[in-house]
Amino acid sequence: MVQIISGTKGKGKTKYLLDMANNAVKTSKGTVVYLDKSSKHMYELNNKIRLINVSEYPVDTCDGFIGFVCGIICQDHDLDQMYLDSFLKLSCLEGKDIEECLNVLKQISEKYKVDFVLSVSRDGSELPESAKKDIIVSL
């Protein structure tokens, strides 16, 4: 499953995502991973959540990002949930169409039984029609 927290910059998406991840780790039967563009939120996350600073790796295209996500999944067979803060920046899709990338994430989610929660810095009305049903919070 892919879920989206949408809203323009500064609306509180990261705080909401951090709270979701911290609550999820209490009940998750597997590993919880949090992808971010920095390590800034390290101390706001439960220590059972693995924080990965994507900017430390050479990810510069959407395809590279998908490969990066698949690499995380293949090395942890207990992976249950992934939280992606600043999804547009992480996936190199700022100002671009995100529909194809979201569809690939949905396929990965179904195949490997990993749930994704994304914070997307766009108003919910600006997202593709196919993504609007995945919005859980629009700030």
Side-chain angles (χ1 to χ4, degrees):
M1 156 178 45
V2 174
Q3 297 177 315
I4 298 172
I5 300 167
S6 69
T8 55
K9 276 193 182 307
K11 293 290 186 180
K13 294 178 301 301
T14 296
K15 171 78 171 111
Y16 196 90
L17 193 68
L18 288 165
D19 289 344
M20 277 187 76
N22 285 328
N23 287 328
V25 78
K26 296 173 188 173
T27 58
S28 177
K29 292 179 173 41
T31 310
V32 176
V33 172
Y34 191 96
L35 300 184
D36 205 346
K37 63 185 182 301
S38 72
S39 298
K40 182 169 104 175
H41 302 293
M42 178 187 313
Y43 300 108
E44 297 171 67
L45 284 169
N46 183 303
N47 65 355
K48 294 179 182 170
I49 298 172
R50 180 172 177 207
L51 171 65
I52 299 174
N53 179 354
V54 179
S55 68
E56 293 178 351
Y57 300 90
V59 176
D60 56 6
T61 65
C62 181
D63 288 340
F65 173 74
I66 292 294
F68 185 79
V69 168
C70 289
I72 294 167
I73 292 170
C74 78
Q75 62 88 33
D76 185 353
H77 296 288
D78 294 324
L79 187 59
D80 189 36
Q81 298 176 13
M82 290 185 79
Y83 291 83
L84 287 65
D85 197 6
S86 304
F87 170 71
L88 297 176
K89 191 174 290 283
L90 298 180
S91 62
C92 309
L93 290 172
E94 288 180 297
K96 298 178 183 171
D97 183 19
I98 66 171
E99 190 167 18
E100 184 178 336
C101 187
L102 290 176
N103 288 336
V104 173
L105 284 178
K106 287 176 186 177
Q107 292 169 8
I108 291 168
S109 174
E110 288 175 27
K111 184 171 184 175
Y112 299 106
K113 308 297 184 244
V114 175
D115 293 333
F116 294 96
V117 182
L118 323 172
S119 77
V120 178
S121 292
R122 284 190 191 162
D123 190 82
S125 63
E126 297 174 11
L127 294 177
E129 277 306 313
S130 62
K132 289 183 180 176
K133 66 181 177 3
D134 301 320
I135 297 173
I136 55 170
V137 176
S138 187
L139 302 171

